[in-house]
Amino acid sequence: ATLHAEALRKDPEKGKLFVTMKARPVLSGEEIDGVATMEAYQLTDQALALCGREGGPAFTQSKSDCRVAKVAKDCCFIIDKKESKKSTMEPFVARVFDIARPFKSPLQVGGFPIANRPTEVQNVGTMGLYLRQRKQRGEPFLQTVSDLHLLLFLGSNLLDMAVDMPVLCSKIAEGKAAELEGFQMMINCYAGID
């Protein structure tokens, strides 16, 4: 809630887009494709108001159970017409669904090695091989650099996370291939490609 409120203070329009992501493994018996699922949530306006009130937040997350909210001493929750000092977090978050327009990420996965796999090594050599293969196929640089794992590798080994990566990621998200020439030269040079 604090981070969400800070995002709203810095930029009211973009702060409305602030979401919290929850990732979990798909359990056996669930009818979900894949091995993991991600869910997006947004804090409700009520939760933001209660956390940002003068005199401190009206509630905090329980230290023993992250699904429970505990109220401050001068507050109480009204649940089923009864006062309570604890409540589940459900009233304070809204699940983000987009059924009308499923999310299409500009990022890809599947070409560049994944960091935590012992059989696939991430280094300058594998990056050079990946870039050469994509170039030989005639793949546009925008599509080549849109690989999530390549971006993570670049962010931890070459590009500045505070300066370069936000610019690169925004150009990828906006599909501005013509504005990637400087990044292409820097990445190719790092990989030993002329």
Side-chain angles (χ1 to χ4, degrees):
T2 307
L3 294 173
H4 192 154
E6 186 179 321
L8 284 168
R9 274 193 302 276
K10 285 185 178 179
D11 188 336
E13 279 305 306
K14 290 184 179 175
K16 292 176 187 175
L17 304 175
F18 191 95
V19 295
T20 300
M21 301 296 291
K22 174 185 170 188
R24 67 173 181 82
V26 174
L27 304 173
S28 61
E30 286 186 292
E31 294 184 20
I32 300 174
D33 290 334
V35 295
T37 181
M38 302 258 322
E39 298 166 350
Y41 295 90
Q42 273 189 319
L43 291 172
T44 62
D45 292 339
Q46 178 186 24
L48 290 170
L50 289 171
C51 288
R53 74 180 185 127
E54 287 186 32
F59 70 92
T60 57
Q61 191 173 16
S62 170
K63 290 181 175 83
S64 59
D65 187 352
C66 64
R67 298 168 295 178
V68 174
K70 293 168 57 175
V71 293
K73 291 180 182 175
D74 62 335
C75 299
C76 70
F77 293 122
I78 305 294
I79 301 169
D80 295 328
K81 300 180 185 179
K82 296 178 187 165
E83 291 186 6
S84 176
K85 290 291 184 182
K86 294 181 180 179
S87 171
T88 60
M89 295 296 276
E90 279 92 12
F92 305 111
V93 294
R95 177 96 185 266
V96 177
F97 292 101
D98 194 357
I99 296 169
R101 185 182 52 127
F103 178 70
K104 174 80 172 95
S105 174
L107 301 178
Q108 306 168 23
V109 177
F112 193 72
I114 300 170
N116 60 355
R117 302 295 194 273
T119 58
E120 301 176 333
V121 180
Q122 277 190 351
N123 58 32
V124 178
T126 54
M127 183 177 81
L129 179 63
Y130 170 81
L131 293 171
R132 281 185 201 89
Q133 288 173 343
R134 300 296 169 131
K135 192 174 183 178
Q136 286 173 350
R137 288 187 207 164
E139 184 176 277
F141 183 73
L142 175 64
Q143 190 176 343
T144 299
V145 79
S146 296
D147 187 284
L148 172 66
H149 298 289
L150 174 63
L151 288 169
L152 293 171
F153 177 77
L154 292 171
S156 61
N157 292 285
L158 171 66
L159 303 176
D160 185 283
M161 285 300 287
V163 179
D164 299 326
M165 289 303 290
V167 174
L168 176 59
C169 290
S170 70
K171 300 299 178 201
I172 291 169
E174 295 166 6
K176 294 185 176 178
E179 297 179 21
L180 291 174
E181 188 177 325
F183 285 109
Q184 185 173 3
M185 287 180 6
M186 194 171 12
I187 292 166
N188 284 344
C189 182
Y190 184 68
I193 299 172
D194 51 351

